Amino acid sequence: MPALVVVGAQWGDEGKGKIVHFLGEGADWVVRYQGGDNAGHTVVFDGQSYALHLLPSGILQPGVKNIIGSGVVVNPSALAEEVAALESRGVRVRGRLFLSLAAHVILPYHIHLDVLREAGGRGLGTTKKGIGPCYEDKVARIGVRVADYLDRAALRSLVRQALAVRAAELAKVKPLQAIEAEVFDGYEERRRLLARFAADTGPLLDRALRAGKRVLLESAQGSMLDLDHGTYPFVTSSNPVAGGACVGAGVGPTVITGVMGVTKAYTTRVGRGPFPTEIPGALAGRIREIGKEYGVTTGRARRIGWLDVPQLRAAARMSGLTCLAMTKLDTLSGVGPIKICVGYRLDGRLLRDFPVSRRAQREVRPVYRSFPGFSGDLGRVRSLSDLPRAAREYVFSVERLLGVPVAVVSVGQSREQTIVRDAAGIWGRRHSI
Ligand code: GDP
Ligand code: IMO
Ligand code: MG
């Protein structure tokens, strides 16, 4: 019954899609447990590139069954598009995708609200996919779940109730009647699509675990975008941390056998918010171009920074990481001396931990340790011992600084460009360095 949570250890886009797809070869089930189509997970194999938003990255492994858990917020139109795009490329989705009847549905008015708030000057730089407003309705207990969406009469009455609550804000967009009409425009087609996949996923997953199947629980976003533990308010509206996997998949913490944190060899962030190790100027531009650091969902240029140990240590603590996957080591090749932040300075004091307050998160100044750079085409390397010495030392330094072993090193987009240090240990026992 091994169940491995794969969580983003930074601000998202760490390469979770690649890693989950890679590990998916040895898995039976992959479960997405939070977020929605704000996510963009790129998977490259056999020379083809796929961008997944809502679907678990296991969908590209023919033998794997996939669950969209109750913690995910689902835009039916986005799901329809993604399923159609995959099916048109020969990926079989039917019979391999199960959508929780308890997942909340993103409706057109959630997107209106997201766009409206982003336009108001106080925007957080969201993806404008309606994620925050949908989770708000869930918490306010005026949301629409997949089970409700399948029942036209129930949907009508729930939508009217929600629109009444949000009327003042939505009136700035268009008349409420027009907004209600948008929900039902082309509804039947979307209803059929959801009905095709809808299932009571809790017992399904429970049976799989009891039968000893291997389950991967895939996060969207990353630890620092976590609603409770991230750089609030510049966060998403769900809990990417490993605890969120239990809530969003509907399993107890006792079934989890391992938690892998995915981190880049450096750091990126999209959207506004504190980013202590952000690199200014030309060097950031260079890393952005080498690493093709542009968002999969919005196309925005990602902000670039050095690796941040207090930040990663916080991620390790919040999710109880048992191992790390380090991606994009190849991108640092030729960049020159590499820095790692090992602490911060604030008001003349030295901080070891990532701070909680907004002011501190904004004003801390990183204390860096420098590491020798390396060069050469790391994309061809298939074992740790063939890495340039300085690159290998960099990996070892990170695990020593964090106290979490690096089990996987990724040196390129495609699945062959993956170095596994300890295949057996990934799924379960705690590694020792
Ligand atoms: P996710 O949201 O965590 O799944 O990550 P994204 O897919 O948004 O962004 C990661 C990007 O880096 C994708 O384009 C991946 O194909 C790419 N990628 C993943 N691992 C590596 C790696 O080791 N080297 C390089 N060069 N690219 C990688
Ligand atoms: P993946 O799964 C990176 C960011 C947005 C914004 C904040 C809130 O590909 O790693 P939201 O639309 O969720 O309300 O936006 O969160 N964000 C992401 N950044 N990767 C993601 O997903 C993200 N999903 C949301 O840029 O700053
Ligand atoms: Mg992404």
Side-chain angles (χ1 to χ4, degrees), residues 33-198:
Y33 59 83
Q34 44 69 238
D37 62 320
N38 49 349
H41 298 175
T42 313
V43 177
V44 177
F45 68 100
D46 291 346
Q48 303 267 329
S49 178
Y50 298 83
L52 301 171
H53 300 282
L54 261 173
L55 295 182
S57 301
I59 203 74
L60 297 167
Q61 291 284 9
V64 172
K65 292 190 172 153
N66 296 270
I67 288 177
I68 296 179
S70 65
V72 176
V73 285
V74 179
N75 178 336
S77 306
L79 183 67
E81 257 176 53
E82 206 167 322
V83 168
L86 285 183
E87 286 181 336
S88 75
R89 294 175 74 178
V91 178
R92 190 170 65 83
V93 179
R94 190 182 279 273
R96 299 182 48 233
L97 176 67
F98 303 89
L99 168 63
S100 169
L101 283 158
H104 278 249
V105 179
I106 298 180
L107 295 163
Y109 50 87
H110 295 128
I111 298 174
H112 289 314
L113 289 170
D114 202 353
V115 171
L116 191 70
R117 292 170 192 174
E118 284 299 298
R122 279 188 55 240
L124 306 173
T126 74
T127 57
K128 301 185 190 162
K129 300 287 184 187
I131 306 294
C134 182
Y135 278 118
E136 272 175 42
D137 280 4
K138 173 178 176 172
V139 175
R141 291 163 294 182
I142 56 168
V144 170
R145 305 197 298 172
V146 169
D148 306 316
Y149 193 88
L150 298 180
D151 174 345
R152 185 189 270 264
L155 176 64
R156 176 78 69 184
S157 110
L158 288 171
V159 164
R160 287 199 174 147
Q161 181 196 17
L163 290 182
V165 174
R166 307 286 178 213
E169 217 177 342
L170 282 169
K172 295 178 202 151
V173 180
K174 54 172 94 164
L176 285 191
Q177 272 169 334
I179 293 177
E180 183 179 328
E182 286 174 340
V183 176
F184 292 94
D185 196 18
Y187 162 74
E188 196 45 43
E189 203 177 319
R190 291 193 296 277
R191 194 197 67 79
R192 270 201 303 273
L193 179 96
L194 291 202
R196 219 171 108 187
F197 300 116

Side-chain angles (χ1 to χ4, degrees), residues 268-291:
T268 64
R269 170 162 209 176
V270 201
R272 289 181 56 208
F275 186 0
T277 62
E278 185 162 17
I279 303 172
L283 181 57
R286 214 167 118 220
I287 297 174
R288 183 177 301 116
E289 292 316 310
I290 304 172

Side-chain angles (χ1 to χ4, degrees), residues 349-423:
R349 283 186 310 122
L350 202 60
L351 301 186
R352 193 176 168 272
D353 293 316
F354 196 90
V356 175
S357 85
R358 297 175 197 214
R359 182 186 81 86
Q361 287 178 356
R362 208 172 44 236
E363 294 183 5
V364 285
R365 294 288 162 258
V367 177
Y368 286 117
R369 193 184 292 175
S370 248
F371 292 79
F374 45 85
S375 57
D377 182 3
L378 269 57
R380 294 170 184 278
V381 173
R382 296 292 175 269
S383 74
L384 220 55
S385 54
D386 289 339
L387 281 174
R389 193 185 140 89
R392 203 167 48 239
E393 280 308 314
Y394 183 70
V395 174
F396 294 155
S397 302
V398 172
E399 66 177 9
R400 271 196 304 270
L401 284 162
L402 290 173
V404 183
V406 176
V408 174
V409 177
S410 170
V411 290
Q413 284 192 294
S414 72
R415 62 176 289 109
E416 307 79 59
Q417 294 172 305
T418 314
I419 302 167
V420 177
R421 275 178 82 196
D422 179 6

